[in-house]
Amino acid sequence: MSDSALPTPRLPDAGSIIDGAVVPALDGATRDVHDPATGTTLLAVAEGGRAEGAAAVAAARRAFDAGGWSGSSPQARARTLERVADLLARDAERFAHLETLDTGKPSSESRDDLVQVEAVFRYYAALLRTQTGDVNPVPAGALSLTLHRPAGVVVMITPWNYPLLQASWKVAPGLASGCCFVLKPSELTPLTTLALGALLLEAGVPPGVANVVTGAGGQLGSALVNDERIDMISFTGGLATGRGIARSAADRAVKVALELGGKNPNIVLADADLDVAVDRALDAVFFHAGQVCSAGSRLLVDDAVHDEVVEALIERVARIRVGFGWEEGTEMGPLISHEHRDKVEGYVALAQEEGAELRLGGRRPQNARFSQGSFLEPTILTGLPPEGRVAREEIFGPVLTVERFSGLDEALARANATDTGLAAAIWTRDVGTALAAAGRLRFGTVWWNDFHPYFPEAPWGGFKTSGVGRELGRTGLREYQEEQHVYLNLRPRLGGAFGMRERP
């Protein structure tokens, strides 16, 4: 398929979804959503602000307090989640096309995302059906129960790199728990989130339970997280914004869950299967053009095999096919915007100033058909000093830095020498070495002889400044619940402690 044959899936309605209705911005304002591969306008969506945020929170608050969804049975909520999954399977190709147009990622990646999104809704439906509380040991004649209640009204803010997937990680457990929510996607990539909002209504989610509002973070996002009527904030995005949200939540004692990215080391020991390690190292950093919070952008290689690994990397990376996401055979698409590309190019320049050597890439493709998009060639840098900024800061682009180390202790010390702690990997044939290393790596996920796999059943989140709380797994459900202790006195009787005797 050529770039002139751009697929045109059915676009979502352009307004926010508030209390079950599609509504334009109150002042009529809109924002153009652009295809990062071509620069063309895909849709002009409503540009909501404080008024739209307040209306959405009010709808969610009414729905929650009325108890129709929050008070429904777990079985009923599970059936609704299963219907959502069925509808996602029905519309998978449409959603995948929208995601590719919105983010620029290859269609193969978008289709994989849809498989995972459907799986998340089915997982939480199954978990909801089997969830139990606890009976606590207490004296005879009483019963003490620990039950799980919905957290309440939740503000969910998602990033631009995985709009639909990240929304599912919040929406599925939030709905399963009985919460009502206001979901704000990134203003850069709102299409699949708006389509999801409509699909939730089709699946039978009651009006007011699931609200989707579009607009900028500075106006709409700020209004949402500071609204006195909310009970919880779930945010995925940058550290600076996350810290501001955490301060706001702390001021009002509001529950908060944060996923804030990482600088993720990929460690290759000398005894590793180098062919597989090189292959997976490419997937670790060039998947979705490196715009992944868990991207393995920092490759640490044992000195004994460093040169061999670098040469193999250069050979493979030189053959990566950059192109439009909807074209068959495209392996890597554009970055999300020209502004973001400028930022990534700045890191490439900074790395060279810090002493690194540019071995491949680092420039914009010369093909004229890519001139309107935000493309950047896959890039390899070697000789990066471990004390420099580029070794410690998240690049969020198709840039692989390779460092030498001598011995496992040095590798682990370098890996841990960042403020973040989301994910790490280690390559070795020795499982004992891998397990010992995992115990010393301060990261929420540690992979052995692999990179990037995750599952709905396993928790996702990080140490240090990578965030607070976890998504996915049983823990991901608990984030949207409050524990309640219910005490039942089965044999009430007079205690006789106060006022039972006559005054002297």
Side-chain angles (χ1 to χ4, degrees), residues 198-214:
L199 187 145
L200 294 176
L201 294 174
E202 182 183 353
V205 176
V209 172
N211 305 276
V212 180
V213 289
T214 53

Side-chain angles (χ1 to χ4, degrees), residues 412 426 432-443 445-448 463:
L412 297 179
I426 184 163
T433 299
L435 287 172
R440 296 170 60 186
L441 286 165
R442 298 284 295 161
F443 295 85
T445 291
V446 178
W447 294 295
W448 172 44
F463 295 6

Side-chain angles (χ1 to χ4, degrees), residues 64-145:
F64 183 82
D65 292 343
W69 182 257
S70 57
S72 62
S73 71
Q75 292 78 12
R77 296 199 299 272
R79 287 192 295 270
T80 301
L81 291 177
E82 288 159 355
R83 285 197 293 273
V84 172
D86 291 341
L87 293 175
L88 284 166
R90 182 197 69 185
D91 296 342
E93 195 63 17
R94 178 200 175 211
F95 273 91
H97 278 176
L98 286 174
E99 195 80 335
T100 289
L101 291 176
D102 222 2
T103 66
K105 68 176 65 175
S107 294
S108 58
E109 293 184 19
S110 295
R111 292 188 180 102
D112 287 344
D113 286 353
L114 262 295
V115 173
Q116 296 297 327
V117 169
E118 180 189 340
V120 168
F121 279 95
R122 295 201 189 280
Y123 169 72
Y124 281 108
L127 187 59
L128 189 55
R129 289 185 182 277
T130 57
Q131 181 183 221
T132 59
D134 297 316
V135 179
N136 308 311
V138 294
L143 191 60
S144 172
L145 306 176

Side-chain angles (χ1 to χ4, degrees), residues 106-234:
S107 294
S108 58
E109 293 184 19
S110 295
R111 292 188 180 102
D112 287 344
D113 286 353
L114 262 295
V115 173
Q116 296 297 327
V117 169
E118 180 189 340
V120 168
F121 279 95
R122 295 201 189 280
Y123 169 72
Y124 281 108
L127 187 59
L128 189 55
R129 289 185 182 277
T130 57
Q131 181 183 221
T132 59
D134 297 316
V135 179
N136 308 311
V138 294
L143 191 60
S144 172
L145 306 176
T146 300
L147 304 178
H148 300 100
R149 306 301 192 190
V153 174
V154 185
V155 167
M156 303 173 177
I157 300 177
T158 53
W160 50 257
N161 59 333
Y162 283 92
L164 188 62
L165 187 67
Q166 288 289 334
S168 74
W169 288 14
K170 301 178 190 301
V171 170
L175 287 176
S177 298
C179 293
C180 299
F181 64 83
V182 179
L183 172 60
K184 192 200 91 65
S186 167
E187 56 269 33
L188 298 177
T189 55
L191 299 188
T192 50
T193 310
L194 287 169
L196 176 63
L199 187 145
L200 294 176
L201 294 174
E202 182 183 353
V205 176
V209 172
N211 305 276
V212 180
V213 289
T214 53
Q219 291 293 319
L220 177 58
S222 176
L224 291 173
V225 300
N226 288 293
D227 196 302
E228 297 289 341
R229 295 166 293 182
I230 68 171
D231 302 297
M232 178 181 170
I233 305 165
S234 178

Side-chain angles (χ1 to χ4, degrees), residues 25 49 52 74 147 163 173 182 198 260 276 279 334 336 347 359 379 381 439 466:
E52 287 77 11
L147 304 178
V182 179
L260 306 176
V276 179
D279 181 76
I336 190 62
Y347 273 113
R359 301 294 297 273
T379 301
L381 293 157
S466 283

